[in-house]
Amino acid sequence: VRADIQRNAWRDPRPKGTNTFGEYSQTWVEQRLSSKGEPLRPRTRVEYRRQLDKGLSELAPLRLEAITAPLVRAWHSSRMQDSGQTAAAREATLLRAIMSTAVADGIVDRNPVESKMCRSDPDQDYDAPTPDEFQTLVREISSSEPRLKLAILLAAYGGLRISEWRALRRTDLVINGSQVTVHVLRQAQYIPGEGWHVGPPKTKEGVRVVHLPAHLLEELQHHLKEFVEPSGDSLLFKLRGQSSFLHNSQFNRHWNKARELAHVRERKDGKWIKRVRSHDLRHFHLSRFSATGATIAEVQARGGHATIEAAMVYQHALLDRGAELANMIPKLH
């Protein structure tokens, strides 16, 4: 024992604490800071608690020392079968972060969550529409609720998140001749039990100026004339009779109808075989913005990403550009 102490390898065999994982994780969420030393955003805090109450709930009564690598592997395998790889990976990422803090606190000796458990299924992360599907989506949502047509166009031609375009006001748009710029300064998110939270975008880099294609000018002017009140602080997107931000459920009522008519929301044998989400329009835009020849730094700035790695997702080659790119190679013989 003395030799182990001298080598700093001795561990006290007595119980290290009485906290269960459930108690420890709740305190962890309350005290957690982001990588930039800031408190967690309300939406992130709610999402962590949802994961703790759902996928990680079976671990709640266990003491931290009882959460071993074999137990975690069994839990992860079960979650993979029940909820799929992406959901299991997100829960494992949270579990790994909490257990890393427990290691730093000296409660456990090592993190029982392997890093490979935190990898999501890349094929399930994005299901962007084809150009034909996108045209159908625009046509159908315009027919269902014309006030939302511009929202779809801002996502597909500007890469704005739903929380960002929902918070836009008239003064956030600048029209200079045929050039339109959107100043993304804030986001609006509804937190169950708390109400609307309006604050800066998802990342510091999310505060940005987005240049829109000139062909959207006419559509934008029509929207401002028909659907937006004249005062500068008027919201761009508001349904009839509403005075506050557009709720997800209000948007989804028309979005889901358009997706079904465009055949981009289909299930077979209980599994999604096609599911274009509103966030996938952002992927649709940034992939095509990248394909124009934009640098990684330009894609990063366009999307408001905090890291180059996030922007790299959109640098993949589009299948229909193979011949075009091949023909750009000069003849050298």
Side-chain angles (χ1 to χ4, degrees), residues 18-39:
T18 58
N19 278 358
T20 63
F21 174 76
E23 296 167 337
Y24 187 83
S25 61
Q26 291 300 327
T27 302
W28 184 92
V29 171
E30 293 172 5
Q31 299 176 347
R32 181 68 169 176
L33 298 177
S34 69
S35 59
K36 298 181 180 179
E38 301 171 346

Side-chain angles (χ1 to χ4, degrees), residues 52-111:
L52 290 170
D53 292 340
K54 189 178 180 182
L56 294 166
S57 60
E58 62 185 86
L59 305 180
L62 300 178
R63 289 172 48 141
L64 293 171
E65 310 92 274
I67 302 178
T68 61
L71 184 145
V72 171
R73 284 196 296 271
W75 164 83
H76 185 256
S77 176
S78 174
R79 292 300 297 158
M80 288 269 287
Q81 295 176 12
D82 292 343
S83 301
Q85 182 175 345
T86 298
R90 289 172 180 166
E91 293 166 356
T93 299
L94 176 58
L95 177 59
R96 182 176 170 84
I98 294 172
M99 297 306 293
S100 290
T101 303
V103 172
D105 288 344
I107 300 175
V108 296
D109 296 332
R110 58 186 295 271
N111 198 320

Side-chain angles (χ1 to χ4, degrees), residues 137-153:
L137 282 170
V138 173
R139 183 177 65 250
E140 296 299 343
I141 205 162
S142 179
S143 174
S144 176
E145 177 49 77
R147 296 168 182 263
L148 296 179
K149 180 182 179 181
L150 183 64
I152 300 302
L153 297 178

Side-chain angles (χ1 to χ4, degrees), residues 147-175:
R147 296 168 182 263
L148 296 179
K149 180 182 179 181
L150 183 64
I152 300 302
L153 297 178
L154 288 177
Y157 288 106
L160 272 66
R161 302 175 176 92
I162 184 173
S163 60
E164 294 172 343
W165 60 250
R166 172 167 50 208
L168 289 176
R169 298 183 182 275
R170 184 182 276 270
T171 52
D172 296 326
L173 301 179
V174 177
I175 300 176

Side-chain angles (χ1 to χ4, degrees), residues 131 134-139 141-142 145-161 165 168 182 210-213 215-223 237 251 255 278 281-282 284-286 302:
F134 173 66
Q135 291 176 3
T136 305
L137 282 170
V138 173
R139 183 177 65 250
I141 205 162
S142 179
E145 177 49 77
R147 296 168 182 263
L148 296 179
K149 180 182 179 181
L150 183 64
I152 300 302
L153 297 178
L154 288 177
Y157 288 106
L160 272 66
R161 302 175 176 92
W165 60 250
L168 289 176
V182 181
V210 176
H211 297 271
L212 297 178
H215 62 73
L216 285 185
L217 176 60
E218 185 177 346
E219 191 69 50
L220 181 65
Q221 291 175 327
H222 171 75
H223 182 87
F237 301 102
F251 170 72
W255 173 242
S278 59
L281 295 178
R282 175 174 161 85
F284 174 86
H285 166 69
L286 291 173
R302 182 82 173 179

Side-chain angles (χ1 to χ4, degrees), residues 278-294:
S278 59
H279 193 74
D280 293 328
L281 295 178
R282 175 174 161 85
H283 187 82
F284 174 86
H285 166 69
L286 291 173
S287 297
R288 279 155 179 78
F289 183 74
S290 174
T292 64

